[in-house]
Structures are given as structure tokens and as C-alpha cells.
Amino acid sequence: MEPSLRLTPSPNTKAASVQDTSNSLGLHDTLQYGPRSIATEVKTVSPIRQRLENWEQTQDNLKLTVQRNVYGLHAPVRLLMERKIVSNMAQMPTLSQSNLHLDILMGRDETLDVGDFFGGTEMRTPQSIHQEMEKKYRV
């Protein structure tokens, strides 16, 4: 987490170039960076698309920075710790995989998304809880 008070994602785009992937001789280092592709060098991403993809991350970073400035370093550290604990909680494999706790900690509990209506629910009949747990943990 880089402390920043940005309201919107940064507009700069990162473009791959030979200077970024060159070795001491000035040539593309294929062993370290993989084969060179002209498509990745020419392909540009729209600035609006990049901002939309980074919107939630920037807003979250802003909230954590404000908490750090107002309450001290312990507040964002505690919130990030709680998020990590909640996201790693074991869930029963036969039930739908909804993480309401994480939504509350992220501040998304009052928003409605497409996934709230159409995604996340599996309508399959479980064989047995024991077989599902064996499949989940590969026993």
C-alpha cells in the first residue's frame, strides 16, 4: 500500500519497451523476460479502461491513507489484517460461496452488483459433504 491521497487512478500508462527488458549489451533478455512480442509493444490500453480497472484499488488506498492520517498506523493495519483473516475463512463446499464479512469490511455491503443477482450461486445437488470436502482438499 503506497500512501496516496489520489481520488482517481493515475493516468500514466506503462508501456513495454526494449529499454525496459534489455541486458548489458542493449538486447532484449529473452531468458529473463520471455520472448519479445511486437503485439505487446504496440498494444495500447485506453486511459479510461485503465482508470476503471484501477478505480476500486485507488479508492481503497485513499480510504486507508485517510484512516492512517486520522487514527494512526494501527487502523489500516488492523483493517487489512481483518480482511486477510476473513478472506481466508474456510467455507463449506456445498454452500454458496458468499463472503458477506469481506463485503462489510470493504464497504460494499450497501451496493448492489450484477454478481449479487446472477453470479455466485451454484444450483447443483451435492453428493455428500464428505465427498465435497475430499474434492476440495484433494484427499
Side-chain angles (χ1 to χ4, degrees):
M1 175 183 88
E2 177 186 328
S4 170
L5 295 174
R6 293 186 71 78
L7 294 176
T8 59
S10 61
N12 60 353
T13 58
K14 294 183 179 178
S17 66
V18 177
Q19 289 83 16
D20 295 336
T21 61
S22 63
N23 57 10
S24 62
L25 300 174
L27 300 172
H28 174 72
D29 192 359
T30 307
L31 293 176
Q32 187 174 1
Y33 298 103
R36 181 177 174 195
S37 171
I38 301 297
T40 58
E41 292 181 19
V42 174
K43 184 177 162 183
T44 60
V45 179
S46 168
I48 294 174
R49 182 176 184 175
Q50 181 193 11
R51 282 185 173 214
L52 289 176
E53 288 174 354
N54 296 332
W55 179 258
E56 286 186 25
Q57 178 184 1
T58 305
Q59 293 298 312
D60 188 42
N61 192 7
L62 172 69
K63 289 176 186 176
L64 292 174
T65 304
V66 169
Q67 279 187 352
R68 178 181 173 201
N69 292 341
V70 173
Y71 301 113
L73 184 60
H74 74 88
V77 170
R78 178 180 176 187
L79 185 62
L80 290 173
M81 180 185 65
E82 288 175 354
R83 286 181 190 173
K84 184 177 180 182
I85 290 171
V86 167
S87 64
N88 292 336
M89 274 183 19
Q91 296 179 349
M92 298 298 286
T94 56
L95 302 175
S96 62
Q97 301 295 319
S98 171
N99 201 341
L100 180 64
H101 301 63
L102 186 61
D103 286 343
I104 291 171
L105 289 173
M106 296 288 288
R108 296 182 302 214
D109 56 332
E110 296 179 357
T111 60
L112 296 176
D113 258 348
V114 175
D116 294 335
F117 297 103
F118 297 115
T121 58
E122 297 176 4
M123 299 303 292
R124 62 184 178 89
T125 308
Q127 299 167 352
S128 76
I129 188 70
H130 300 292
Q131 290 177 351
E132 293 292 323
M133 292 295 280
E134 287 175 1
K135 187 191 323 179
K136 179 179 178 181
Y137 294 112
R138 297 179 189 101
V139 176

mmCIF file with all atom_site columns, all heavy atoms in Angstrom, residues 14-23 26-29 33 36-37 40-42:
data_model
loop_
_atom_site.group_PDB
_atom_site.id
_atom_site.type_symbol
_atom_site.label_atom_id
_atom_site.label_alt_id
_atom_site.label_comp_id
_atom_site.label_asym_id
_atom_site.label_entity_id
_atom_site.label_seq_id
_atom_site.pdbx_PDB_ins_code
_atom_site.Cartn_x
_atom_site.Cartn_y
_atom_site.Cartn_z
_atom_site.occupancy
_atom_site.B_iso_or_equiv
_atom_site.pdbx_formal_charge
_atom_site.auth_seq_id
_atom_site.auth_comp_id
_atom_site.auth_asym_id
_atom_site.auth_atom_id
_atom_site.pdbx_PDB_model_num
ATOM 1   N N   . LYS A 1 14 ? 1.811  2.256   -18.495 1.00 0.00 ? 14 LYS A N   1
ATOM 2   C CA  . LYS A 1 14 ? 3.113  1.634   -18.563 1.00 0.00 ? 14 LYS A CA  1
ATOM 3   C C   . LYS A 1 14 ? 3.207  0.871   -19.881 1.00 0.00 ? 14 LYS A C   1
ATOM 4   O O   . LYS A 1 14 ? 2.419  -0.033  -20.132 1.00 0.00 ? 14 LYS A O   1
ATOM 5   C CB  . LYS A 1 14 ? 3.329  0.693   -17.389 1.00 0.00 ? 14 LYS A CB  1
ATOM 6   C CG  . LYS A 1 14 ? 3.376  1.414   -16.063 1.00 0.00 ? 14 LYS A CG  1
ATOM 7   C CD  . LYS A 1 14 ? 3.658  0.462   -14.946 1.00 0.00 ? 14 LYS A CD  1
ATOM 8   C CE  . LYS A 1 14 ? 3.723  1.204   -13.628 1.00 0.00 ? 14 LYS A CE  1
ATOM 9   N NZ  . LYS A 1 14 ? 3.952  0.312   -12.511 1.00 0.00 ? 14 LYS A NZ  1
ATOM 10  N N   . ALA A 1 15 ? 4.146  1.244   -20.694 1.00 0.00 ? 15 ALA A N   1
ATOM 11  C CA  . ALA A 1 15 ? 4.334  0.573   -21.975 1.00 0.00 ? 15 ALA A CA  1
ATOM 12  C C   . ALA A 1 15 ? 5.642  -0.197  -21.936 1.00 0.00 ? 15 ALA A C   1
ATOM 13  O O   . ALA A 1 15 ? 6.653  0.287   -21.424 1.00 0.00 ? 15 ALA A O   1
ATOM 14  C CB  . ALA A 1 15 ? 4.357  1.592   -23.112 1.00 0.00 ? 15 ALA A CB  1
ATOM 15  N N   . ALA A 1 16 ? 5.619  -1.390  -22.463 1.00 0.00 ? 16 ALA A N   1
ATOM 16  C CA  . ALA A 1 16 ? 6.826  -2.205  -22.511 1.00 0.00 ? 16 ALA A CA  1
ATOM 17  C C   . ALA A 1 16 ? 7.703  -1.717  -23.658 1.00 0.00 ? 16 ALA A C   1
ATOM 18  O O   . ALA A 1 16 ? 7.219  -1.384  -24.726 1.00 0.00 ? 16 ALA A O   1
ATOM 19  C CB  . ALA A 1 16 ? 6.469  -3.665  -22.719 1.00 0.00 ? 16 ALA A CB  1
ATOM 20  N N   . SER A 1 17 ? 8.980  -1.648  -23.404 1.00 0.00 ? 17 SER A N   1
ATOM 21  C CA  . SER A 1 17 ? 9.908  -1.260  -24.456 1.00 0.00 ? 17 SER A CA  1
ATOM 22  C C   . SER A 1 17 ? 11.157 -2.101  -24.313 1.00 0.00 ? 17 SER A C   1
ATOM 23  O O   . SER A 1 17 ? 11.379 -2.760  -23.297 1.00 0.00 ? 17 SER A O   1
ATOM 24  C CB  . SER A 1 17 ? 10.239 0.228   -24.369 1.00 0.00 ? 17 SER A CB  1
ATOM 25  O OG  . SER A 1 17 ? 10.957 0.487   -23.187 1.00 0.00 ? 17 SER A OG  1
ATOM 26  N N   . VAL A 1 18 ? 11.979 -2.041  -25.320 1.00 0.00 ? 18 VAL A N   1
ATOM 27  C CA  . VAL A 1 18 ? 13.208 -2.819  -25.297 1.00 0.00 ? 18 VAL A CA  1
ATOM 28  C C   . VAL A 1 18 ? 14.153 -2.283  -24.226 1.00 0.00 ? 18 VAL A C   1
ATOM 29  O O   . VAL A 1 18 ? 14.898 -3.035  -23.621 1.00 0.00 ? 18 VAL A O   1
ATOM 30  C CB  . VAL A 1 18 ? 13.867 -2.800  -26.696 1.00 0.00 ? 18 VAL A CB  1
ATOM 31  C CG1 . VAL A 1 18 ? 15.183 -3.546  -26.687 1.00 0.00 ? 18 VAL A CG1 1
ATOM 32  C CG2 . VAL A 1 18 ? 12.948 -3.414  -27.723 1.00 0.00 ? 18 VAL A CG2 1
ATOM 33  N N   . GLN A 1 19 ? 14.097 -0.998  -23.939 1.00 0.00 ? 19 GLN A N   1
ATOM 34  C CA  . GLN A 1 19 ? 14.967 -0.441  -22.906 1.00 0.00 ? 19 GLN A CA  1
ATOM 35  C C   . GLN A 1 19 ? 14.642 -1.030  -21.536 1.00 0.00 ? 19 GLN A C   1
ATOM 36  O O   . GLN A 1 19 ? 15.534 -1.184  -20.703 1.00 0.00 ? 19 GLN A O   1
ATOM 37  C CB  . GLN A 1 19 ? 14.832 1.094   -22.842 1.00 0.00 ? 19 GLN A CB  1
ATOM 38  C CG  . GLN A 1 19 ? 15.433 1.821   -24.018 1.00 0.00 ? 19 GLN A CG  1
ATOM 39  C CD  . GLN A 1 19 ? 14.484 1.878   -25.212 1.00 0.00 ? 19 GLN A CD  1
ATOM 40  O OE1 . GLN A 1 19 ? 13.289 1.644   -25.057 1.00 0.00 ? 19 GLN A OE1 1
ATOM 41  N NE2 . GLN A 1 19 ? 15.018 2.166   -26.383 1.00 0.00 ? 19 GLN A NE2 1
ATOM 42  N N   . ASP A 1 20 ? 13.376 -1.358  -21.288 1.00 0.00 ? 20 ASP A N   1
ATOM 43  C CA  . ASP A 1 20 ? 12.993 -1.932  -20.000 1.00 0.00 ? 20 ASP A CA  1
ATOM 44  C C   . ASP A 1 20 ? 13.465 -3.371  -19.841 1.00 0.00 ? 20 ASP A C   1
ATOM 45  O O   . ASP A 1 20 ? 13.697 -3.842  -18.735 1.00 0.00 ? 20 ASP A O   1
ATOM 46  C CB  . ASP A 1 20 ? 11.476 -1.886  -19.824 1.00 0.00 ? 20 ASP A CB  1
ATOM 47  C CG  . ASP A 1 20 ? 10.951 -0.462  -19.761 1.00 0.00 ? 20 ASP A CG  1
ATOM 48  O OD1 . ASP A 1 20 ? 11.729 0.439   -19.400 1.00 0.00 ? 20 ASP A OD1 1
ATOM 49  O OD2 . ASP A 1 20 ? 9.764  -0.274  -20.069 1.00 0.00 ? 20 ASP A OD2 1
ATOM 50  N N   . THR A 1 21 ? 13.584 -4.080  -20.943 1.00 0.00 ? 21 THR A N   1
ATOM 51  C CA  . THR A 1 21 ? 13.914 -5.509  -20.887 1.00 0.00 ? 21 THR A CA  1
ATOM 52  C C   . THR A 1 21 ? 15.291 -5.818  -21.457 1.00 0.00 ? 21 THR A C   1
ATOM 53  O O   . THR A 1 21 ? 15.584 -6.964  -21.773 1.00 0.00 ? 21 THR A O   1
ATOM 54  C CB  . THR A 1 21 ? 12.863 -6.313  -21.672 1.00 0.00 ? 21 THR A CB  1
ATOM 55  O OG1 . THR A 1 21 ? 12.889 -5.896  -23.032 1.00 0.00 ? 21 THR A OG1 1
ATOM 56  C CG2 . THR A 1 21 ? 11.481 -6.123  -21.090 1.00 0.00 ? 21 THR A CG2 1
ATOM 57  N N   . SER A 1 22 ? 16.134 -4.823  -21.584 1.00 0.00 ? 22 SER A N   1
ATOM 58  C CA  . SER A 1 22 ? 17.435 -5.062  -22.218 1.00 0.00 ? 22 SER A CA  1
ATOM 59  C C   . SER A 1 22 ? 18.468 -5.511  -21.193 1.00 0.00 ? 22 SER A C   1
ATOM 60  O O   . SER A 1 22 ? 18.383 -5.203  -20.007 1.00 0.00 ? 22 SER A O   1
ATOM 61  C CB  . SER A 1 22 ? 17.918 -3.803  -22.933 1.00 0.00 ? 22 SER A CB  1
ATOM 62  O OG  . SER A 1 22 ? 18.113 -2.776  -21.996 1.00 0.00 ? 22 SER A OG  1
ATOM 63  N N   . ASN A 1 23 ? 19.460 -6.222  -21.690 1.00 0.00 ? 23 ASN A N   1
ATOM 64  C CA  . ASN A 1 23 ? 20.558 -6.657  -20.835 1.00 0.00 ? 23 ASN A CA  1
ATOM 65  C C   . ASN A 1 23 ? 21.708 -5.672  -20.987 1.00 0.00 ? 23 ASN A C   1
ATOM 66  O O   . ASN A 1 23 ? 21.541 -4.569  -21.512 1.00 0.00 ? 23 ASN A O   1
ATOM 67  C CB  . ASN A 1 23 ? 20.978 -8.086  -21.187 1.00 0.00 ? 23 ASN A CB  1
ATOM 68  C CG  . ASN A 1 23 ? 21.384 -8.228  -22.637 1.00 0.00 ? 23 ASN A CG  1
ATOM 69  O OD1 . ASN A 1 23 ? 21.543 -7.251  -23.364 1.00 0.00 ? 23 ASN A OD1 1
ATOM 70  N ND2 . ASN A 1 23 ? 21.547 -9.473  -23.071 1.00 0.00 ? 23 ASN A ND2 1
ATOM 71  N N   . GLY A 1 26 ? 22.334 -4.265  -24.457 1.00 0.00 ? 26 GLY A N   1
ATOM 72  C CA  . GLY A 1 26 ? 21.297 -3.480  -25.103 1.00 0.00 ? 26 GLY A CA  1
ATOM 73  C C   . GLY A 1 26 ? 20.298 -4.309  -25.882 1.00 0.00 ? 26 GLY A C   1
ATOM 74  O O   . GLY A 1 26 ? 19.457 -3.769  -26.586 1.00 0.00 ? 26 GLY A O   1
ATOM 75  N N   . LEU A 1 27 ? 20.364 -5.633  -25.770 1.00 0.00 ? 27 LEU A N   1
ATOM 76  C CA  . LEU A 1 27 ? 19.447 -6.526  -26.468 1.00 0.00 ? 27 LEU A CA  1
ATOM 77  C C   . LEU A 1 27 ? 18.369 -7.017  -25.514 1.00 0.00 ? 27 LEU A C   1
ATOM 78  O O   . LEU A 1 27 ? 18.554 -7.036  -24.298 1.00 0.00 ? 27 LEU A O   1
ATOM 79  C CB  . LEU A 1 27 ? 20.210 -7.723  -27.045 1.00 0.00 ? 27 LEU A CB  1
ATOM 80  C CG  . LEU A 1 27 ? 21.304 -7.385  -28.050 1.00 0.00 ? 27 LEU A CG  1
ATOM 81  C CD1 . LEU A 1 27 ? 22.087 -8.623  -28.393 1.00 0.00 ? 27 LEU A CD1 1
ATOM 82  C CD2 . LEU A 1 27 ? 20.723 -6.749  -29.283 1.00 0.00 ? 27 LEU A CD2 1
ATOM 83  N N   . HIS A 1 28 ? 17.243 -7.445  -26.071 1.00 0.00 ? 28 HIS A N   1
ATOM 84  C CA  . HIS A 1 28 ? 16.146 -7.984  -25.266 1.00 0.00 ? 28 HIS A CA  1
ATOM 85  C C   . HIS A 1 28 ? 16.597 -9.265  -24.582 1.00 0.00 ? 28 HIS A C   1
ATOM 86  O O   . HIS A 1 28 ? 17.110 -10.178 -25.227 1.00 0.00 ? 28 HIS A O   1
ATOM 87  C CB  . HIS A 1 28 ? 14.935 -8.251  -26.161 1.00 0.00 ? 28 HIS A CB  1
ATOM 88  C CG  . HIS A 1 28 ? 13.810 -8.938  -25.461 1.00 0.00 ? 28 HIS A CG  1
ATOM 89  N ND1 . HIS A 1 28 ? 13.025 -8.302  -24.535 1.00 0.00 ? 28 HIS A ND1 1
ATOM 90  C CD2 . HIS A 1 28 ? 13.349 -10.210 -25.533 1.00 0.00 ? 28 HIS A CD2 1
ATOM 91  C CE1 . HIS A 1 28 ? 12.118 -9.145  -24.083 1.00 0.00 ? 28 HIS A CE1 1
ATOM 92  N NE2 . HIS A 1 28 ? 12.302 -10.307 -24.667 1.00 0.00 ? 28 HIS A NE2 1
ATOM 93  N N   . ASP A 1 29 ? 16.400 -9.345  -23.274 1.00 0.00 ? 29 ASP A N   1
ATOM 94  C CA  . ASP A 1 29 ? 16.799 -10.521 -22.492 1.00 0.00 ? 29 ASP A CA  1
ATOM 95  C C   . ASP A 1 29 ? 15.647 -11.521 -22.480 1.00 0.00 ? 29 ASP A C   1
ATOM 96  O O   . ASP A 1 29 ? 14.721 -11.429 -21.675 1.00 0.00 ? 29 ASP A O   1
ATOM 97  C CB  . ASP A 1 29 ? 17.163 -10.091 -21.077 1.00 0.00 ? 29 ASP A CB  1
ATOM 98  C CG  . ASP A 1 29 ? 17.849 -11.195 -20.293 1.00 0.00 ? 29 ASP A CG  1
ATOM 99  O OD1 . ASP A 1 29 ? 18.019 -12.293 -20.845 1.00 0.00 ? 29 ASP A OD1 1
ATOM 100 O OD2 . ASP A 1 29 ? 18.199 -10.946 -19.130 1.00 0.00 ? 29 ASP A OD2 1
ATOM 101 N N   . TYR A 1 33 ? 12.820 -12.176 -19.429 1.00 0.00 ? 33 TYR A N   1
ATOM 102 C CA  . TYR A 1 33 ? 11.533 -11.537 -19.682 1.00 0.00 ? 33 TYR A CA  1
ATOM 103 C C   . TYR A 1 33 ? 10.648 -12.289 -20.667 1.00 0.00 ? 33 TYR A C   1
ATOM 104 O O   . TYR A 1 33 ? 9.566  -11.848 -20.978 1.00 0.00 ? 33 TYR A O   1
ATOM 105 C CB  . TYR A 1 33 ? 11.746 -10.105 -20.208 1.00 0.00 ? 33 TYR A CB  1
ATOM 106 C CG  . TYR A 1 33 ? 12.447 -9.224  -19.216 1.00 0.00 ? 33 TYR A CG  1
ATOM 107 C CD1 . TYR A 1 33 ? 13.788 -8.910  -19.368 1.00 0.00 ? 33 TYR A CD1 1
ATOM 108 C CD2 . TYR A 1 33 ? 11.782 -8.728  -18.108 1.00 0.00 ? 33 TYR A CD2 1
ATOM 109 C CE1 . TYR A 1 33 ? 14.438 -8.103  -18.455 1.00 0.00 ? 33 TYR A CE1 1
ATOM 110 C CE2 . TYR A 1 33 ? 12.416 -7.916  -17.190 1.00 0.00 ? 33 TYR A CE2 1
ATOM 111 C CZ  . TYR A 1 33 ? 13.754 -7.613  -17.373 1.00 0.00 ? 33 TYR A CZ  1
ATOM 112 O OH  . TYR A 1 33 ? 14.386 -6.812  -16.460 1.00 0.00 ? 33 TYR A OH  1
ATOM 113 N N   . ARG A 1 36 ? 10.105 -11.841 -27.024 1.00 0.00 ? 36 ARG A N   1
ATOM 114 C CA  . ARG A 1 36 ? 9.653  -10.493 -27.361 1.00 0.00 ? 36 ARG A CA  1
ATOM 115 C C   . ARG A 1 36 ? 8.474  -10.577 -28.307 1.00 0.00 ? 36 ARG A C   1
ATOM 116 O O   . ARG A 1 36 ? 8.479  -11.343 -29.260 1.00 0.00 ? 36 ARG A O   1
ATOM 117 C CB  . ARG A 1 36 ? 10.800 -9.727  -28.014 1.00 0.00 ? 36 ARG A CB  1
ATOM 118 C CG  . ARG A 1 36 ? 10.455 -8.325  -28.367 1.00 0.00 ? 36 ARG A CG  1
ATOM 119 C CD  . ARG A 1 36 ? 11.657 -7.626  -28.946 1.00 0.00 ? 36 ARG A CD  1
ATOM 120 N NE  . ARG A 1 36 ? 11.285 -6.319  -29.416 1.00 0.00 ? 36 ARG A NE  1
ATOM 121 C CZ  . ARG A 1 36 ? 12.020 -5.587  -30.208 1.00 0.00 ? 36 ARG A CZ  1
ATOM 122 N NH1 . ARG A 1 36 ? 13.171 -6.048  -30.624 1.00 0.00 ? 36 ARG A NH1 1
ATOM 123 N NH2 . ARG A 1 36 ? 11.616 -4.405  -30.595 1.00 0.00 ? 36 ARG A NH2 1
ATOM 124 N N   . SER A 1 37 ? 7.469  -9.802  -28.032 1.00 0.00 ? 37 SER A N   1
ATOM 125 C CA  . SER A 1 37 ? 6.273  -9.805  -28.856 1.00 0.00 ? 37 SER A CA  1
ATOM 126 C C   . SER A 1 37 ? 5.977  -8.374  -29.296 1.00 0.00 ? 37 SER A C   1
ATOM 127 O O   . SER A 1 37 ? 5.862  -7.471  -28.470 1.00 0.00 ? 37 SER A O   1
ATOM 128 C CB  . SER A 1 37 ? 5.090  -10.370 -28.074 1.00 0.00 ? 37 SER A CB  1
ATOM 129 O OG  . SER A 1 37 ? 3.906  -10.183 -28.789 1.00 0.00 ? 37 SER A OG  1
ATOM 130 N N   . THR A 1 40 ? 2.626  -6.888  -27.843 1.00 0.00 ? 40 THR A N   1
ATOM 131 C CA  . THR A 1 40 ? 2.615  -6.267  -26.517 1.00 0.00 ? 40 THR A CA  1
ATOM 132 C C   . THR A 1 40 ? 3.236  -4.882  -26.535 1.00 0.00 ? 40 THR A C   1
ATOM 133 O O   . THR A 1 40 ? 2.878  -4.038  -25.723 1.00 0.00 ? 40 THR A O   1
ATOM 134 C CB  . THR A 1 40 ? 3.359  -7.134  -25.490 1.00 0.00 ? 40 THR A CB  1
ATOM 135 O OG1 . THR A 1 40 ? 4.702  -7.332  -25.942 1.00 0.00 ? 40 THR A OG1 1
ATOM 136 C CG2 . THR A 1 40 ? 2.657  -8.447  -25.283 1.00 0.00 ? 40 THR A CG2 1
ATOM 137 N N   . GLU A 1 41 ? 4.155  -4.643  -27.458 1.00 0.00 ? 41 GLU A N   1
ATOM 138 C CA  . GLU A 1 41 ? 4.770  -3.325  -27.547 1.00 0.00 ? 41 GLU A CA  1
ATOM 139 C C   . GLU A 1 41 ? 3.845  -2.323  -28.232 1.00 0.00 ? 41 GLU A C   1
ATOM 140 O O   . GLU A 1 41 ? 3.847  -1.152  -27.905 1.00 0.00 ? 41 GLU A O   1
ATOM 141 C CB  . GLU A 1 41 ? 6.100  -3.411  -28.287 1.00 0.00 ? 41 GLU A CB  1
ATOM 142 C CG  . GLU A 1 41 ? 7.153  -4.176  -27.513 1.00 0.00 ? 41 GLU A CG  1
ATOM 143 C CD  . GLU A 1 41 ? 8.470  -4.244  -28.238 1.00 0.00 ? 41 GLU A CD  1
ATOM 144 O OE1 . GLU A 1 41 ? 8.697  -3.423  -29.149 1.00 0.00 ? 41 GLU A OE1 1
ATOM 145 O OE2 . GLU A 1 41 ? 9.273  -5.119  -27.911 1.00 0.00 ? 41 GLU A OE2 1
ATOM 146 N N   . VAL A 1 42 ? 3.063  -2.790  -29.202 1.00 0.00 ? 42 VAL A N   1
ATOM 147 C CA  . VAL A 1 42 ? 2.183  -1.903  -29.953 1.00 0.00 ? 42 VAL A CA  1
ATOM 148 C C   . VAL A 1 42 ? 0.851  -1.717  -29.250 1.00 0.00 ? 42 VAL A C   1
ATOM 149 O O   . VAL A 1 42 ? 0.244  -0.654  -29.307 1.00 0.00 ? 42 VAL A O   1
ATOM 150 C CB  . VAL A 1 42 ? 1.971  -2.459  -31.378 1.00 0.00 ? 42 VAL A CB  1
ATOM 151 C CG1 . VAL A 1 42 ? 0.959  -1.640  -32.137 1.00 0.00 ? 42 VAL A CG1 1
ATOM 152 C CG2 . VAL A 1 42 ? 3.283  -2.520  -32.118 1.00 0.00 ? 42 VAL A CG2 1
#
